[in-house]
Amino acid sequence: MSGRLMPCSAAEISSLFLFEKLSAEQIDRLCSAGRVELFGPGPVFAEGDPATDFHVMIEGTLVMSRRVGSDDIEVSRTSQPGVYAGAVMAYLGEGKPQRYMNSLRVSEPTRFFVLPAESFANFVHEWFPMAIHLLEGLALGSQTFQRAVGQRERLLALGSLSAGLTHELNNPAAAAVRATSSLRDRVAHMRNKLGAIASGPYHGDALKALVNLQERTAERVSKAPPLSPLEASDREDELADWLDDHGVPNGWQIAPAFVQGGLDVEWLERIAAAVDEQEILPRAIEWLTYTVEAELLMSEIEDSTTRISHLVDAAKQYSQLDRAPYQVADVHELLDSTLLMLSGKIGPQVKVVKEYDRSVPRIPAYPAELNQVWTNLIDNAVFAINSAGGEGTLTVRTALVHDRLLVEFQDTGPGVPPDIRGRIFDPFFTTKPVGEGTGLGLDISWRIVVNKHHGDLKVESVPGDTRFQVLLPLTATEPDIEPDTVSDPAQEPS
């Protein structure tokens, strides 16, 4: 956008704090290379356009804003002469093409001294050779440092997830190993007991009925309904009394397995009627006990291996290694996989509540990177809850808000103090103790949500109720490619 050209006054330019230390010759060269433009109310340049000019305000009022999702968020408004914006990092040279990091508009007729980016870079190199080396070193060093610490942040998250996943896999794996060993013992006893029954002086019909009853008992165990502790205790007493009354030894040891397998007194009466021989009943009960225990152990093995399979599926869902980087995804699947991967770190002290709106549609996204956002926000919430005593509630909520999908993480921690709330998304800012946080988790999350998904990330907080809200568009947009430069405070009006 261009304004109306006006004469360049050396005296006026030299009065601006940015140029006040320059010589008269340097001021004249600035006026020769640059121009003074008068802009009426409206836009001056737009975020994302090539940074072709360096703007210094002479008089008027400017407003800086950034694009967040579909909204322009005002970040600064000032009438101070000498504030600057635009191609402030042009000194990095052609190897680092620059784009405007913000949008600039004026709210009243405003005059700017406008210097082409190339001229600005040449003057800085010529007049401040030592400073340019320091500035380049600072900018490039900050980029390198930020990338290194960002990589470290990812490695720390990976290590934490690996430890949690190992812990979660170990429990069902160990349970399956124990159940397998016990199952082998029960099957051996079952074979021995069946051999003893078959070699005894028992009627063939009784043996046939017993084998048929075994099959029906195994089927009943697989469909056993869950009982409350009180119901289970009462039924165990009933079964133990029945077994004692029918001469079955150690009825108090047999009863718990029968109750867990869904057997009751009525079923035991069927067994007694099917055997129809009092002397065979104790051995038949003992044999069926091994059958029930074997079925229960196989169910335990099935549950354990299913748990392992779910954990592996969650790990694949979390990492997205076998899927396209950009795809249409179900945020609930992403949230569930992240919560499962972090379950070891969350621990039993934190109650997790899911308030999902299952009617929300799938959205175009980078799922692996959204999982990283969920990881950072959940990790912060758990840290906040632990810092407040270690017990609390983490609520994960989804909903539709106008034309965007809301994913909210609410925790009952102490909250974010108002004096630092505006800084929590800044790189390297952290409230965690030294060694426990890099200060890049929320910065990385903000970049993923805002730059890559054209969404919004914000926080609302009072003591006992902190909510990090991620708003994502429902339709595909061309994601921004993050510039390979560090956001510099000089991009804001000074």
Side-chain angles (χ1 to χ4, degrees):
M1 297 79 175
S2 299
R4 181 162 60 90
L5 292 177
M6 303 188 71
C8 180
S9 166
E12 190 173 49
I13 296 301
S14 63
S15 69
L16 302 175
F17 66 83
L18 191 63
F19 306 128
E20 61 185 0
K21 300 297 184 181
L22 299 181
S23 67
E25 180 187 357
Q26 290 172 322
I27 294 295
D28 288 340
R29 290 183 62 184
L30 283 175
C31 275
S32 298
R35 61 192 184 273
V36 174
E37 292 190 47
L38 174 64
F39 289 84
V44 177
F45 58 73
E47 177 183 348
D49 288 346
T52 56
D53 293 303
F54 176 68
H55 294 71
V56 184
M57 189 176 72
I58 300 173
E59 64 175 352
T61 301
L62 61 77
V63 179
M64 298 289 289
S65 62
R66 291 209 66 176
R67 191 74 171 174
V68 178
S70 59
D71 302 320
D72 285 317
I73 307 300
E74 182 177 318
V75 295
S76 181
R77 179 187 294 260
T78 181
S79 300
Q80 179 185 353
V83 296
Y84 53 91
V88 298
M89 298 184 73
Y91 58 82
L92 289 176
E94 296 180 358
K96 295 288 183 180
Q98 300 294 310
R99 294 185 178 274
Y100 292 122
M101 298 294 291
N102 303 283
S103 294
L104 175 67
R105 62 183 176 87
V106 295
S107 58
E108 60 178 334
T110 301
R111 283 192 304 135
F112 286 96
F113 174 67
V114 182
L115 193 61
E118 183 178 357
S119 298
F120 172 64
N122 291 336
F123 286 141
V124 174
H125 278 269
E126 179 183 349
W127 295 342
F128 312 104
M130 181 176 176
I132 199 65
H133 289 300
L134 293 173
L135 289 171
E136 286 181 337
L138 179 62
L140 299 177
S142 295
Q143 294 172 32
T144 302
F145 180 65
Q146 188 168 11
R147 281 195 295 265
V149 177
Q151 183 66 20
R152 176 65 175 170
E153 178 90 2
R154 291 176 174 87
L155 288 174
L156 289 173
L158 178 61
S160 177
L161 288 171
S162 298
L165 180 60
T166 301
H167 175 76
E168 291 298 316
L169 286 171
N170 181 68
N171 288 338
V177 170
R178 290 193 302 268
T180 302
S181 177
S182 298
L183 178 61
R184 181 178 290 109
D185 179 70
R186 297 303 187 278
V187 171
H189 281 81
M190 193 189 309
R191 289 196 301 264
N192 294 335
K193 188 59 64 178
L194 179 60
I197 293 175
S199 61
Y202 307 122
H203 195 275
D205 292 339
L207 291 178
K208 183 178 180 180
L210 186 59
V211 171
N212 181 56
L213 195 58
Q214 180 197 33
E215 295 178 358
R216 293 163 59 194
T217 299
E219 182 180 352
R220 187 178 180 91
V221 172
S222 66
K223 300 177 181 179
L227 299 176
S228 68
L230 183 60
E231 290 173 332
S233 178
D234 290 341
R235 185 169 294 183
E236 286 177 15
D237 291 340
E238 294 175 3
L239 292 183
D241 291 342
W242 188 95
L243 293 170
D244 290 342
D245 292 342
H246 289 75
V248 179
N250 300 319
W252 60 275
Q253 291 180 319
I254 297 174
F258 277 12
V259 170
Q260 189 178 355
L263 307 188
D264 51 20
V265 170
E266 181 183 353
W267 192 259
L268 294 184
E269 292 288 357
R270 293 185 186 181
I271 296 174
V275 172
D276 197 27
E277 297 181 27
Q278 187 64 32
E279 63 274 16
I280 199 178
L281 181 60
R283 291 187 179 182
I285 291 291
E286 189 175 0
W287 183 55
L288 290 177
T289 300
Y290 294 135
T291 300
V292 171
E293 291 178 343
E295 288 294 325
L296 292 174
L297 288 169
M298 284 189 285
S299 295
E300 184 177 346
I301 293 172
E302 182 181 17
D303 291 342
S304 299
T305 53
T306 300
R307 171 72 172 168
I308 292 173
S309 178
H310 287 166
L311 286 167
V312 173
D313 287 343
K316 290 173 62 179
Q317 173 74 18
Y318 181 85
S319 65
Q320 297 285 314
L321 290 178
D322 59 342
R323 306 186 185 188
Y326 190 72
Q327 58 179 285
V328 177
D330 184 341
V331 293
H332 301 124
E333 292 180 358
L334 304 182
L335 290 167
D336 286 341
S337 68
T338 304
L339 287 168
L340 184 56
M341 293 289 287
L342 291 173
S343 58
K345 188 169 188 177
I346 294 173
Q349 305 291 336
V350 178
K351 179 182 178 182
V352 177
V353 176
K354 300 177 183 179
E355 296 182 359
Y356 292 168
D357 180 356
R358 296 288 183 177
S359 66
V360 301
R362 296 162 65 90
I363 61 169
Y366 292 89
E369 299 200 25
L370 286 182
N371 281 339
Q372 187 178 3
V373 174
W374 313 150
T375 298
N376 292 336
L377 298 182
I378 292 171
D379 181 71
N380 284 349
V382 172
F383 177 83
I385 292 172
N386 288 336
S387 68
E391 293 188 0
T393 301
L394 167 63
T395 302
V396 183
R397 184 178 294 110
T398 62
L400 279 179
V401 177
H402 303 302
D403 59 343
R404 294 191 287 184
L405 169 63
L406 168 69
V407 181
E408 183 179 79
F409 298 85
Q410 177 185 9
D411 69 73
T412 56
V416 181
D419 58 326
I420 67 170
R421 202 169 297 162
R423 302 169 56 199
I424 60 174
F425 296 110
D426 293 347
F428 308 111
F429 179 80
T430 180
T431 59
K432 295 180 181 179
V434 175
E436 292 192 26
T438 62
L440 284 179
L442 289 179
D443 173 58
I444 291 171
S445 299
W446 193 91
R447 290 171 181 267
I448 291 172
V449 172
V450 177
N451 290 351
K452 296 209 70 170
H453 291 85
H454 284 264
D456 192 10
L457 174 59
K458 56 187 179 180
V459 61
E460 298 177 356
S461 182
V462 296
D465 184 3
T466 297
R467 304 181 184 211
F468 280 88
Q469 298 174 331
V470 178
L471 289 160
L472 298 168
L474 300 179
T475 56
T477 57
E478 183 65 26
D480 287 343
I481 303 300
E482 285 196 50
D484 191 25
T485 58
V486 177
S487 179
D488 192 288
Q491 292 283 20
E492 310 292 341
S494 300

